[in-house]
């Protein structure tokens, strides 16, 4: 004996197991490894068709009427054979139009009518409630039966249970809770529930196993096989088992077939499983035979079990529970419990799917439209998901309670199958609207409204009311005599219809008014534009494009002309006819020769496209049945096509202009990402190889370092929250991903439907990312490599989410074209950036890092390189004797060559100035020779660019005398700002630029007041395309006149006034404010050509040093002084002068008029003289000789305490 | 998405099977076998219907399986 608690516990455990399966299914779905993306699982989930009705009710039916139960299973087989025509269309339409329920489908087909959706929902809910009550009844009935084990209970005992003891109520509540947990955990845009489908497939297996166990038990355990069983049944006189005759009329047999054919498609749960949960259209192929096979197997034992039950219990027992009571009677408690679980699984699977499907319809097609229309506040709520889920949960509870209510009121004593057939008849009402809508374009919204309402009313009147009457809610006279005694209106004998069984009777009348209403109203009232558009889309969903076919066209010239006129106008038509080759026909009634037909078609194709032209001609020729509507549609498509081509050209045009506006790699990537959004794709991301971003050179085979690694360079999208990689993320694509395939093959790869791509799921090490992208709504991808000169530079990915249509082959070529254009720009930018970077680095190394310390002038400088690196340079070189050299130069041309030459010249100038200390004109001569030399080398080496034309300005300023010497080699003369603010451009001898050779350079000497500003600049400052040189000079003059006197201030003011917006040439600017050493810093003595003078000068020097408080330097200076003067007195000619300068360092100079240069000698130990300069070199920091116009100066410099360095 | 010729063929062939199955499972064929009697121990009508059913399924599987 089975304890109640044990049955409950096992049932609970089973439900727990079911939930675990669903949870597993959901988890697999979340991680992107769907288990329901499998034809067999899909076929098994179709098993939701087999409910308690099949499980228990069929046997009951068979016990009463033999094979009369079979149409319910034969019908689906026939329908599925038609499934490739019907179901596949529905699936395809649903996917294309994002239809998520039956109500949605009807509404969408007939012009997106809200009213229709609501009506279908109401009919579906009302119609299916009896069916749900059937499941509840089966659960409570079998539970009650099992509890009473081993006693076999009669049906009568099981009715009349108080509500609170009724298992049906608890079953309803538990199932409601279970369904809510299952189906409304979160909202999914596609309304798909992978976990649920997995659980349903599992249940399908469970109930089959349980039912087969009973069947085998009964046939082979209780009896000795089929023969024995049926022989005994025949002997016992149970002839009902053998024939239909007398139990089921052939008419109702056929009606039942039709009903079940429709039910397998139109029941909300079948729609949910078959259409909404379909992952791949191709899975349908397996369902077509596998599901009928399932039905065959599960039906095979129905008749034997019924026979066994009849033999075992006699006709008195409730045949609906034979499946359970037979094992109980056989003492098989475990089997009985298994059977109960099987029945439970049949009931739960039906209830779960049905209520989920209905709740989706209720919330999406009934409640939400009302709420959103009635209270606009709701429409603005941020998160409607909670509301929708709430509505669904409420709908689930309500539907189950309604089912229970129906059971209490009307279903108590009715056989299971009769209840179920009521529901079948209800959903069959959708058939005209849906099947008609699939194949007939003429159906209209009003037609459906009229047909549905009429069919539904008739259904309720002829099928539902009688069940209420049977239950005693209506008086029996209602059935017997008709309402108010009107016999013609008797619900089961409408208009005096001769005796039919209730279902056939109801089906006949409801089908009549439904189909009749639909067709008549649709014909009377032509469809509106919106309906027509939808109709064309729905009906034509699988139409194939017209291929090339050889055909014989028969059309008259007149017809052809009329056709041409419709498309091209009368003149166009005439022109086409005139231009036709071959014989011209005489009259419009004559048959057009084939060449004329082809000519006309070719001309038409030019304006409406080939396919449309062919169709149009075919329509005239009568070869194809084509209405005006199609021709209009074709014209629409053709013009759309033209629009599309124009749109593509525009996009490419914009891309050409919009990509590559700069020579910046990242900016180019951003431009590529932006140009395609939102016109072409909803999201675009550009990845660049890391080596591109790092400006490395790439190997042509793409093996440069970092080539396998990409970095996201730009993302652009219609929204910001797409779960794509962000800019800066590093990514590596797994080898099987579409991205990697694009890289390998070097061509763009199209993934039209991401959801169906298994590789997409493996795009990343984190498979959840792929799913997140799909869940976000991104459904289509094109990924294209960016490569130039055989080098992979990066990738571009185009995604679509909002645009419903996936990318197609045309889009693929457009994307590839975009990628190619962008690649060229990226490559240019990359190469430019790299070269520019090199030149800038070179130039930066060649230019002075900081200006050297010197006291002769106060300087400020600015150097502004152009976009292309140029050859401007400047320098400040301290010279001995408190002098400084200011250099400004300009190499013709730009780029690396200019920068390198600049480096050479700058070094040369340095060498000519510091150790050699050449006067400006002489220095320029040497520089000129050098440039000539460089040029000769270059020409010898076959180099085309030369240095000739380089200019240079060399200024030496002596802060002791306040004089400056300037020499210029073709360089713009410097500006001089007098302390009083006057500005003049110095009149410097204008010599030829460097490298021309031949003419000597002239130096100009002038004396400057203290605080004068020398402004040296290159022509980039004052001369450019938009600025005339005179204007530039005037502007400079005016600016200098009012600029801040400090060099820094002057620089800023000049650049503010003269800096162009875009520089085509470098600009170098050097401002030096002169200082003059005061009497306290310089001392000078004339030296007689007398050895005694040495001592006098030495004394004077030490006295001056004491005065300057440089006691530490007295001894070395005296020594240097004696040596240099002694030398001068001994060797020199002309007057000798000695000078002591304190300017940071301490410099002692001796000048004379001879030009013989002393040089350092390492005297042998026996030498008497020759040690002087050696000593000087020892004590002095630096020493040297320079030549002046009069002669030469020998100088020695020492570091003074307090000044760092020399 | 254009309908391929294969798909169209498949749809029509399966439809033919459907018609065949339907015709064989309704009167008059049905009536022909609607009599008391056993064949292989099973009622004649049931045996006939299951046989037709199995053949229909087999044809669907065959036709569906052959098209790729």
């Amino acid at each position: 004996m089975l304890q109640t608690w044990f049955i409950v516990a096992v049932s609970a455990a089973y439900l727990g197991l079911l939930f675990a399966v669903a949870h597993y299914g959901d988890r697999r779905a979340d991680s992107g490894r769907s288990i329901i993306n499998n034809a067999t699982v899909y076929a098994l989930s179709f098993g939701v068709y087999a409910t308690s009705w099949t499980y228990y009710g069929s046997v009951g039916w068979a016990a009463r009427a033999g094979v009369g139960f079979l149409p319910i299973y034969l019908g689906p087989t026939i329908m599925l054979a038609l499934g490739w025509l019907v179901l596949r269309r529905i699936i395809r339409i649903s996917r294309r139009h994002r239809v998520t329920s039956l109500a949605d489908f009807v509404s969408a087909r007939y012009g997106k009518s809200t009213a229709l959706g609501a009506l279908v929902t109401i009919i579906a809910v009302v119609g299916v409630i009896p069916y749900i009550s059937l499941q509840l009844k089966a659960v409570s009935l079998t539970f009650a039966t099992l509890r009473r084990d081993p006693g076999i209970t009669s049906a009568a005992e099981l009715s009349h249970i108080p509500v609170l003891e009724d298992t049906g109520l608890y079953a309803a509540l538990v199932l409601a809770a279970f369904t809510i947990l299952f189906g409304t955990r979160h909202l999914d845009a596609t309304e798909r529930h992978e976990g649920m489908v997995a659980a349903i497939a599992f249940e399908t297996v469970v109930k089959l196993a349980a039912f087969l166990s009973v069947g085998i038990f009964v046939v082979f355990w209780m009896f000795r096989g089929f023969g024995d069983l049926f022989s005994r049944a025949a002997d016992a006189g149970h002839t009902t088992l053998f024939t239909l005759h007398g139990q089921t009329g052939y008419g109702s047999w056929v009606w039942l077939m039709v009903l079940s054919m429709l039910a397998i498609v139109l029941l909300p749960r079948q729609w949910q499983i078959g259409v909404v949960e379909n992952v791949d259209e191709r899975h349908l192929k397996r369902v077509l035979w596998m599901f009928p096979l399932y039905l065959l197997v599960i039906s095979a034992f129905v008749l034997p079990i019924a026979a066994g039950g009849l033999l075992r219990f006699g006709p008195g027992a409730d045949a609906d529970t034979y499946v359970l009571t037979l094992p109980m009677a056989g003492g098989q408690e475990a089997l009985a419990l298994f059977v109960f679980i099987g029945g439970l699984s049949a009931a739960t699977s039906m209830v779960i799917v049905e209520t989920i499907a209905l709740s989706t319809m209720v919330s999406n097609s009934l409640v939400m439209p009302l709420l959103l229309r009635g209270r606009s506040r709701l429409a603005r709520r941020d998160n409607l998901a909670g509301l929708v889920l709430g509505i669904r949960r409420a709908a689930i509870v309500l539907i189950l309670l309604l089912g229970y209510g129906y059971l209490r009121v009307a279903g108590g004593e009715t056989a299971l199958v009769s209840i179920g057939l009521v529901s079948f008849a209800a959903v069959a009402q959708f058939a005209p609207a849906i099947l008609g809508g699939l194949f007939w374009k003429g159906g209209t919204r009003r037609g459906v409204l009229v047909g549905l309402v009429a069919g539904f009313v008739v259904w309720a009147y002829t099928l539902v009311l009688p069940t209420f009457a049977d239950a005693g809610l209506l008086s029996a006279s209602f059935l017997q005599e008709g309402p108010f005694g009107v016999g013609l209106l008797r619900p089961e004998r409408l208009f005096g219809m001769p005796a039919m069984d209730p279902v056939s009777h109801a089906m006949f009348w409801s089908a009549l008014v439904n189909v009749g209403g639909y067709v008549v109203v649709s014909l009377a009232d032509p469809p509106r534009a919106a309906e027509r558009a939808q109709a064309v889309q729905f009906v034509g969903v699988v139409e194939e494009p017209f291929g090339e076919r050889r055909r014989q066209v028969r059309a008259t010239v007149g017809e052809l002309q009329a056709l041409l006129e419709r498309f091209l106008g009368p003149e166009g038509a005439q022109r086409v006819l005139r231009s036709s080759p071959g014989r011209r026909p005489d009259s419009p009634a004559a048959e057009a020769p084939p060449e004329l037909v082809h000519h006309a078609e070719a001309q038409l194709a030019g304006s409406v496209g080939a396919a449309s032209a062919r169709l149009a001609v075919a329509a005239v020729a009568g070869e194809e049945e084509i209405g005006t509507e199609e021709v209009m549609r074709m014209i629409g498509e053709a013009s759309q096509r033209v629009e599309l081509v124009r749109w593509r050209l525009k996009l490419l045009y914009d891309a050409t202009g919009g990509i590559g506006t700069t020579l910046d790699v990242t900016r180019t990537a951003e431009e590529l990402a932006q140009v395609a959004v939102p016109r072409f794709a909803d999201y675009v991301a550009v990845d660049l190889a890391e080596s591109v971003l790092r400006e490395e050179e790439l190997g042509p085979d793409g093996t440069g370092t970092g080539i396998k690694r990409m970095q996201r360079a730009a993302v652009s999208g219609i929204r910001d929250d797409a779960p794509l990689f962000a800019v800066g993320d590093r990514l590596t694509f797994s080898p099987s991903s579409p991205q990697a395939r694009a890289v390998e093959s070097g061509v763009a790869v199209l993934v039209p439907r991401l959801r169906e791509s298994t590789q997409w799921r493996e795009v990343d090490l984190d498979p959840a990312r792929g799913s997140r992208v799909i869940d976000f709504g991104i459904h289509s991808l094109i990924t294209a490599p960016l490569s130039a000169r055989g080098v992979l530079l990066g990738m571009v990915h185009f995604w679509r989410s909002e645009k419903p249509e996936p990318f197609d082959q045309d889009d693929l070529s457009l994307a590839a074209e975009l990628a190619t254009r962008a690649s060229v720009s990226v490559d240019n930018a990359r190469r430019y950036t790299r070269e520019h970077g090199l030149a800038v680095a070179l130039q930066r190394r060649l230019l002075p890092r900081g200006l050297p310390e010197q006291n002769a002038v106060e300087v400020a400088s600015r150097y502004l390189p152009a976009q292309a690196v140029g050859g401007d340079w400047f320098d400040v070189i301290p010279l001995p004797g408190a002098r400084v050299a200011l250099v400004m130069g300009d190499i013709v041309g730009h780029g690396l060559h200019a920068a390198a030459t600049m480096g050479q010249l700058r070094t040369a100038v340095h060498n000519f100035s510091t150790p050699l200390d050449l006067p400006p004109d002489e220095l320029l001569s040497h520089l000129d020779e050098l440039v000539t030399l460089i040029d000769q080398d270059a020409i010898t080496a076959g180099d085309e660019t030369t240095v000739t034309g380089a200019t240079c300005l060399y200024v030496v300023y002596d802060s002791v005398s306040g004089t400056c010497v300037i020499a210029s080699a073709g360089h713009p003369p410097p500006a001089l700002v007098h302390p009083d603010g006057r500005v003049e451009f110095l009149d410097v001898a204008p010599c030829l630029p460097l490298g021309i050779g031949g003419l000597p350079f002239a130096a100009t000497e002038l004396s400057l007041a203290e605080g004068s500003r020398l402004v040296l600049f290159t022509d980039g400052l004052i001369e450019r395309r938009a600025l005339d040189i005179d204007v530039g000079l005037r502007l400079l003059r005016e600016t200098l006149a009012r600029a801040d006197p400090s060099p820094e201030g002057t620089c800023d003011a000049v650049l503010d006034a003269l800096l162009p917006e875009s520089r085509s040439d470098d600009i170098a600017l050097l401002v030096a404010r002169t200082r003059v050493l005061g009497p306290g810093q310089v001392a000078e003595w004339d030296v007689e050509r007398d050895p005694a003078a040495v001592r006098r000068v030495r004394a004077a020097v030490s006295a001056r040093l004491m005065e300057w408080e440089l006691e530490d330097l007295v001894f070395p200076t005296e020594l240097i002084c004696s040596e240099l003067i002694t030398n001068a007195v001994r060797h020199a000619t002309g007057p000798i002068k000695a000078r002591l300068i304190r300017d940071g360092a301490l410099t002692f100079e001796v000048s004379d008029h001879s030009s013989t240069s002393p040089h350092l000698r390492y005297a042998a130990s026996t030498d008497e003289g020759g040690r002087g300069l050696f000593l000087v070199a020892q004590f002095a920091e630096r020493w040297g000789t320079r030549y002046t116009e009069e002669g030469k100066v020998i100088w020695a410099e020492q570091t003074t305490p307090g000044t760092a360095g020399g | 998405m254009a309908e391929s010729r294969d798909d169209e063929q498949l749809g029509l062939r399966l439809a033919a099977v459907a018609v065949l199955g339907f015709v064989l499972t309704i009167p008059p064929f049905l009536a022909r076998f609607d009599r008391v009697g056993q064949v292989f121990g099973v009622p004649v009508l049931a045996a006939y219907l299951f046989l037709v059913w199995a053949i229909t399924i087999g044809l669907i599987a065959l036709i569906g399986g052959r098209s790729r």
Side-chain angles (χ1 to χ4, degrees), chain A residues 581-901:
Chain A
R583 163 179 73 86
R584 185 135 337 127
D586 318 316
S587 77
E591 191 170 308
E595 55 268 34
L596 178 61
V597 174
H598 284 295
H599 179 68
E601 188 181 312
Q603 296 297 311
L604 263 185
S607 43
V608 297
S612 306
R614 179 163 289 246
L615 276 177
V617 170
V620 167
E623 189 196 20
E624 310 269 351
E625 284 293 326
I626 289 172
T628 333
E629 196 178 319
E630 265 95 342
V631 176
M632 292 315 289
R633 180 173 63 84
M634 280 153 20
I635 296 170
E637 277 178 5
S639 57
Q640 272 175 11
R641 193 80 201 152
V642 171
E643 257 326 286
L644 199 65
V645 171
R646 188 171 298 156
W647 172 84
R648 293 211 159 113
L649 279 176
K650 174 90 175 74
L651 181 63
L652 279 179
Y653 173 78
D654 289 350
T656 311
I659 300 176
T661 58
T662 62
L663 283 169
D664 182 89
V665 173
T666 311
R667 179 79 203 117
T668 306
E670 283 163 5
E671 285 166 351
L672 169 61
Q674 278 154 10
V675 80
V677 174
R679 283 187 287 174
F680 177 61
D682 293 320
Y683 295 93
V684 173
V686 182
D687 303 332
L688 292 176
E690 289 194 335
S691 43
V692 171
L693 287 167
R694 286 205 307 263
E695 296 164 17
E696 286 173 5
E697 181 51 44
L698 302 173
D701 53 346
T703 51
T705 48
I707 193 68
K708 289 292 171 201
R709 289 186 65 82
M710 297 275 181
Q711 186 170 337
R712 184 124 305 173
V715 177
S716 166
I718 50 170
R719 279 166 59 187
D720 296 333
D721 55 345
L724 305 171
F725 286 104
V727 171
D729 285 358
R730 286 162 188 221
L731 15 143
T732 314
F733 297 112
S734 79
S736 60
S737 65
Q739 285 87 342
R741 275 191 289 134
V743 169
E744 262 171 41
S745 60
V747 296
V749 169
L750 166 70
V751 187
R753 267 168 286 278
L754 288 178
R755 193 179 283 279
E756 294 165 15
S757 158
T758 47
Q759 283 112 6
W760 165 252
R761 313 241 172 206
E762 296 150 17
V763 67
D764 192 23
L765 299 178
D766 170 18
R769 179 181 286 276
S771 298
R772 277 208 302 281
V773 167
I774 289 175
D775 290 342
F776 183 73
I778 289 177
H779 57 84
S780 195
L781 163 73
I782 291 178
T783 180
L786 298 174
S787 50
R789 298 176 297 132
V791 181
L792 181 75
L793 305 170
M795 312 210 55
V796 56
H797 319 286
F798 303 91
W799 282 286
R800 273 188 186 168
S801 64
E802 302 287 311
K803 294 180 183 51
E805 60 278 5
F807 287 115
D808 57 21
Q809 287 297 327
D810 289 345
D811 293 324
L812 183 66
S813 40
L814 182 64
E817 178 67 26
L818 275 179
T820 310
R821 293 189 186 208
S823 305
V824 174
S825 293
V826 168
D827 191 42
N828 283 346
R830 178 181 70 86
R831 295 209 292 166
Y832 167 76
T833 308
R834 203 165 46 82
E835 191 171 308
H836 184 67
L838 276 179
V840 166
L842 181 64
Q843 192 177 37
R844 203 167 286 151
R845 287 196 77 87
L846 293 176
L847 280 175
R849 298 271 171 103
L851 295 174
E853 202 169 310
Q854 45 76 34
N855 294 313
V857 288
E858 187 187 347
V859 290
S861 66
R862 296 288 184 272
Y863 180 75
L864 303 167
Q867 281 293 309
V869 173
D872 286 12
W873 97 93
F874 66 90
D875 227 336
V876 176
I877 307 165
L879 297 177
R883 292 171 316 129
V884 67
L886 306 174
V887 191
M888 181 64 74
D890 188 354
I891 311 290
V892 179
H894 300 289
L896 277 179
H897 175 79
T901 311

Side-chain angles (χ1 to χ4, degrees), chain A residues 123 126-128 130 421-427 429 454-466 506-507 510:
Chain A
I123 295 178
V126 173
V128 168
L421 282 176
V422 173
S423 294
F424 271 33
V427 295
Q429 303 305 322
F456 181 59
V457 167
V458 170
W459 167 80
Y461 188 73
T462 54
L463 267 185
V464 182
L465 278 190
M507 277 317 296
S510 61

Side-chain angles (χ1 to χ4, degrees), chain A residues 917-930:
Chain A
D917 209 343
L918 298 176
D921 46 346
E922 224 171 292
L923 182 138
L924 286 186
S925 299
H926 284 292
L927 208 54
D928 185 46
E929 280 167 29
L930 177 67

Side-chain angles (χ1 to χ4, degrees), chain A residues 67 73 77-78 81 84 88 96 226 230-231 242-245 250 253 257 285 288-289 292-293 296 542 544-545, chain B residues 1-3 5 7-8 10-11 14 18 21-22 25 27 30-31 34-36 38 41 43 45 49 53 57 61 67:
Chain A
V67 290
Y73 308 100
T77 306
I78 309 265
W84 201 247
R88 195 169 55 104
R96 191 170 295 176
F226 290 106
F230 284 110
S231 301
F242 292 84
T243 60
L244 280 174
H245 198 65
Y250 290 142
W253 171 278
M257 292 266 279
K285 260 188 198 167
L288 299 185
W289 62 267
L293 185 63
L296 184 143
V542 292
E544 62 166 333
Chain B
M1 201 186 299
E3 171 88 330
R5 197 156 286 273
D7 278 344
E8 190 189 298
L10 178 62
L14 289 176
F22 189 69
T25 49
L30 187 73
D34 191 5
R35 55 184 166 85
V36 179
Q38 280 170 263
L45 186 57
L49 285 174
W53 197 0
I57 293 171
S67 85

